[in-house]
Amino acid sequence: MLPDFVYFNHSVHVTRGISCVECHGRIDRMDVVEQQKSLTMGFCLECHRAPEEHLRDLTKAEQKVTNLGWVHPGGEAGQITQGLAVISREKIQPPTSCSGCHR
């Protein structure tokens, strides 16, 4: 659970290609859905500083954010190369200052 002073918009993340699994874990394998990721400021900043490690190319049907089992066939190197291409093409610049999330 995030504190009230933290602003989080699911749609911004989902429409940019961040899968549910990146923050929530493999909820499709859970009998009871529970928080598996820390969701701390450090966790969020780590992703904001290196989004290429997590971005999917939404122009490819198999990479939809609800495909929780998808992994890049090129491994980590392929994911990073693809993520950097998505960042360049979509001009993605996640906020890394406090005001990006704290309101």
Side-chain angles (χ1 to χ4, degrees), residues 29-73:
R29 294 183 176 169
M30 296 178 193
D31 290 329
V32 176
V33 175
E34 55 187 45
Q35 183 177 327
Q36 287 202 332
K37 307 287 178 133
S38 68
L39 305 182
T40 62
M41 183 168 64
F43 172 81
C44 297
L45 281 173
E46 190 176 301
C47 187
H48 277 222
R49 290 176 178 150
E52 63 275 7
E53 297 175 16
H54 309 281
L55 286 169
R56 297 186 181 195
D57 187 342
L58 296 179
T59 65
K60 299 177 177 166
E62 72 277 5
Q63 293 190 39
K64 62 186 173 197
V65 296
T66 55
N67 182 353
L68 302 182
W70 184 84
V71 293
H72 197 285

Side-chain angles (χ1 to χ4, degrees), residues 4-36:
D4 288 340
F5 58 83
V6 175
Y7 175 75
F8 181 84
N9 184 335
H10 275 94
S11 68
V12 170
H13 292 81
V14 171
T15 59
R16 292 288 193 197
I18 300 295
S19 175
C20 311
V21 74
E22 297 296 335
C23 300
H24 296 285
R26 289 292 305 265
I27 59 173
D28 59 327
R29 294 183 176 169
M30 296 178 193
D31 290 329
V32 176
V33 175
E34 55 187 45
Q35 183 177 327
Q36 287 202 332

